[in-house]
Amino acid sequence: FRSDVSRRNLLDLKRKTPFSLPYMQKGAITPKTVKILGIRVQFKKELPDDPTTTGDGWFDLRSYEQFYQEERHVIDPAPHNRVYFEAHIEALANYWRIVSNGKLNLEFDVYPSGDTAYTLPYTISHYGSIDSTPRPQFYPVEQLDLLFRHSFTLADTSSLEEIDFSNYDSFVLFHAGSDKQHDLGE
C-alpha cells in the first residue's frame, strides 16, 4: 500500500526497472484474466451534516429523476448503487479488452450485494481531516491506511455475506463522498 509501484506483476510483464516500460514480447501472448474485488463503504452518517465535507457520508441512492430535479445537472448522477459501480468496472474491463486485443480480461465482483454498503464506524471527516491524524506531516498516508484497514476488515468480518479474498488479484475501494483530490472547496 505504501509503495508507488505494486510488487505484484499481474500481467507477467518483463521490465528493466520497476518504472520502465515493458519489453515487447515476441510470439503469442497468452490471454490473462485478472479478478477484481470491489467493496462499497459508506461512513457513519453525519447528523447534523458537516459543512466541511461533501454529502452526509452515505451513498446517494436517489433516483435519476429525483437527482436531476433537485440538482439540475446530469454529471455523475444518482443512484450510486451496486449497478452503478459494476458499470464503472465493466467500462474498465471493456477498455482493457479492446486495447490489449483480447489479451487482458477483467472479471469482477462488487460487494455487498444489493444496494446496501458496509458502514464504517466514523464519519468521513475522521478519515480525511489533518486534525485527526497524530502526525500531520504523514497525511494523507496514515488516514488512507486507516480507511483501507477499516473498510477491508469490515467487509471481511461482516455478517452480510462471506468474501473469499484469495479469489482476487486486485482490490478496489468505492467510498461515499468526494475524496480530497476532488474536493476543491478549501
Side-chain angles (χ1 to χ4, degrees):
F1 174 72
R2 293 178 188 254
S3 68
D4 291 341
V5 177
S6 172
R7 298 197 195 306
R8 295 180 68 193
N9 187 355
L10 295 176
L11 301 179
D12 300 321
L13 299 175
K14 308 294 184 243
R15 300 173 187 268
K16 186 173 183 177
T17 69
F19 298 101
S20 63
L21 293 172
Y23 293 114
M24 293 298 294
Q25 297 179 0
K26 295 185 181 356
I29 298 174
T30 305
K32 176 77 176 174
T33 297
V34 175
K35 290 254 336 178
I36 300 172
L37 169 65
I39 65 167
R40 296 176 299 117
V41 297
Q42 59 190 12
F43 302 92
K44 180 178 177 183
K45 194 162 190 137
E46 296 170 355
L47 296 171
D49 188 15
D50 182 345
T52 66
T53 65
T54 55
D56 61 6
W58 282 25
F59 284 113
D60 187 350
L61 297 178
R62 293 178 287 177
S63 70
Y64 176 87
E65 294 76 16
Q66 183 182 2
F67 177 89
Y68 179 74
Q69 189 73 15
E70 294 172 7
E71 306 297 332
R72 290 296 197 213
H73 65 80
V74 293
I75 299 170
D76 196 28
H80 295 166
N81 54 16
R82 182 178 185 205
V83 171
Y84 171 87
F85 292 106
E86 286 175 335
H88 277 68
I89 299 179
E90 183 66 35
L92 181 67
N94 290 337
Y95 171 81
W96 282 108
R97 188 178 61 259
I98 290 168
V99 300
S100 71
N101 291 321
K103 301 300 182 191
L104 177 60
N105 299 297
L106 303 182
E107 294 179 1
F108 59 88
D109 294 308
V110 176
Y111 284 92
S113 55
D115 287 339
T116 60
Y118 301 111
T119 302
L120 294 164
Y122 301 106
T123 62
I124 193 171
S125 63
H126 180 82
Y127 297 98
S129 170
I130 293 175
D131 296 337
S132 67
T133 186
R135 299 183 312 236
Q137 70 270 26
F138 292 106
Y139 177 82
V141 172
E142 287 182 354
Q143 296 307 98
L144 287 173
D145 179 64
L146 185 66
L147 173 63
F148 277 81
R149 280 189 293 115
H150 282 181
S151 298
F152 283 97
T153 299
L154 185 60
D156 189 36
T157 59
S158 171
S159 62
L160 292 176
E161 53 206 326
E162 191 171 322
I163 301 171
D164 185 351
F165 288 84
S166 68
N167 289 335
Y168 300 95
D169 303 303
S170 188
F171 304 91
V172 177
L173 176 64
F174 299 113
H175 66 78
S178 182
D179 53 17
K180 191 70 170 173
Q181 68 201 36
H182 290 99
D183 190 357
L184 303 177
E186 196 171 292

